[in-house]
Amino acid sequence: MTADGVASITWRPTPPRATGTSAREIPPGGRPSEIRVPGHSDRIAATFQLMAALLEGADLAEMLTLVVGRARHMSGAHLAFMALPGEAPSTLVIDFPHGVNADHVRGLTVRVGTSAIGRVFATRRALSLRVATDPALKGLPPGPILLLPLDTGERTCGVLALAGRPGDIPFSPPIKRQLLIFATTSATLIELAEERRITRLD
């Protein structure tokens, strides 16, 4: 599917089966201002977990669940989720939410051309803002949110979102930098998992 000129995967994931690396085992984060800023070693450790899961045969849904969980843990976000290409053209569907208010956003559809999430998907550029400034996110408390493209360099697989609580300070530049690198690496691993899924179907 193509949304505003950006090619993306077109699958609709199935719920993940329970594994030892499930995001449910990731402890909830605190305020971004209250946790240790994730460094190079934190990001590398999270990336190695994704690589190990892929080598152990994790399917696409499990990989996405793990990406969301690790990103939430690294950032201290109150809520993390994916926005993935929907069945309707130029739409994204929120899936794999982890954290507080997860049920408020699961299954929510946003249009690429009318939402901040869609802008990140189309432009492949990260964006930091307040939830209250985007009507598409009205189901969330009005805290800070960081939107990161899952960009392989050739296409965008989706958007990784990390949201804080009302009163939280915006995500700091060091956190944003490490998470953007993590999102880029994750996109490549997600693509590998998708390619393996297609091969199995063939």
Side-chain angles (χ1 to χ4, degrees):
M1 185 180 74
T2 299
D4 289 359
V6 180
S8 179
I9 53 182
T10 56
W11 50 270
R12 291 305 307 147
T14 54
R17 63 178 182 269
T19 69
T21 55
S22 169
R24 289 192 299 270
E25 298 176 7
I26 308 290
R31 291 169 57 96
S33 58
E34 294 173 349
I35 64 170
R36 181 173 61 87
V37 174
H40 178 79
S41 60
D42 300 296
R43 174 174 53 80
I44 293 297
T47 300
F48 279 154
Q49 284 190 326
L50 295 179
M51 294 174 64
L54 185 64
L55 291 172
E56 290 169 1
D59 62 27
L60 188 57
E62 291 169 333
M63 290 294 293
L64 291 167
T65 300
L66 188 56
V67 168
V68 171
R70 294 313 309 171
R72 183 186 175 219
H73 179 65
M74 288 172 59
S75 66
H78 213 42
L79 171 70
F81 58 84
M82 291 276 193
L84 304 168
E87 295 180 358
S90 298
T91 63
L92 298 170
V93 178
I94 294 178
D95 210 340
F96 300 96
H98 183 267
V100 179
N101 297 312
D103 291 338
H104 292 181
V105 297
R106 182 181 285 109
L108 181 67
T109 298
V110 298
R111 297 198 63 81
V112 170
T114 60
S115 68
I117 293 175
R119 192 191 327 165
V120 171
F121 181 80
T123 65
R124 303 181 181 185
R125 293 183 179 274
L127 186 62
S128 179
L129 68 159
R130 307 292 297 187
V131 166
T133 64
D134 189 350
L137 300 172
K138 61 183 179 181
L140 295 178
I145 188 167
L146 178 63
L147 304 174
L148 303 165
L150 293 166
D151 184 13
T152 67
E154 296 182 353
R155 62 176 181 168
T156 303
C157 300
V159 176
L160 174 62
L162 301 157
R165 296 171 293 190
D168 280 355
I169 64 172
F171 293 91
S172 70
I175 289 178
K176 289 188 284 188
R177 182 165 52 251
Q178 294 298 329
L179 288 169
L180 181 58
I181 298 172
F182 177 70
T184 300
T185 305
S186 297
T188 300
L189 297 176
I190 289 169
E191 186 174 51
L192 290 173
E194 166 65 359
E195 290 175 353
R196 184 167 62 188
R197 185 187 74 90
I198 293 173
T199 300
R200 288 173 177 173
L201 291 176
D202 294 340

